[in-house]
């Protein structure tokens, strides 16, 4: 069956969706800004740069449950070396 919401409930749902959307966009932009400090060649990274990578991975794992999709949209581009 269909759920019926009061106008007050609908307004609360709308505010919630707006807050979540704004927070998500803000956090994603912040992570992208931090990722700019990571060099294209990820060798000899500083402790601060490694921490940034771990932070980004952590948030992405929380937000994007499917590992295949997460790899496609990640802010981090992991390229495996051919041996």
């Amino acid at each position: 069956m269909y759920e019926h919401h009061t106008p007050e409930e609908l307004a609360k749902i709308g505010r919630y969706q707006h807050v979540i959307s704004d927070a998500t966009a803000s956090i994603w932009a912040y992570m992208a800004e931090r990722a700019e400090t990571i060099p294209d060649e990820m060798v000899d990274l500083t402790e601060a740069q490694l921490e940034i990578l771990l932070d980004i991975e952590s948030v992405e794992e929380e937000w994007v449950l499917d590992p295949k999709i997460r790899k496609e949209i990640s802010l981090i581009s992991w390229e495996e070396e051919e041996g």
Side-chain angles (χ1 to χ4, degrees):
M1 295 309 276
Y2 296 101
E3 278 191 48
H4 296 283
H5 296 285
T6 65
E8 293 81 16
E9 291 171 328
L10 291 174
K12 186 176 182 178
I13 291 168
R15 284 193 306 276
Y16 176 81
Q17 290 172 334
H18 178 72
V19 167
I20 293 298
S21 177
D22 283 355
T24 301
S26 175
I27 292 168
W28 201 263
Y30 175 69
M31 290 190 330
E33 182 180 311
R34 291 182 73 202
E36 290 178 9
T37 66
I38 307 298
D40 291 338
E41 301 252 346
M42 289 194 264
V43 293
D44 299 327
L45 297 175
T46 66
E47 191 171 321
Q49 290 169 324
L50 290 171
E51 188 174 311
I52 290 168
L53 290 174
L54 291 173
D55 289 349
I56 291 170
E57 267 190 326
S58 177
V59 171
E60 289 179 346
E61 285 177 2
E62 288 261 340
W63 289 359
V64 185
L65 299 179
D66 185 314
K68 190 174 185 178
I69 294 172
R70 187 170 55 243
K71 185 176 180 180
E72 292 174 9
I73 67 166
S74 178
L75 292 172
I76 304 166
S77 178
W78 299 106
E79 294 181 14
E80 296 183 24
E81 289 186 26
E82 294 181 26

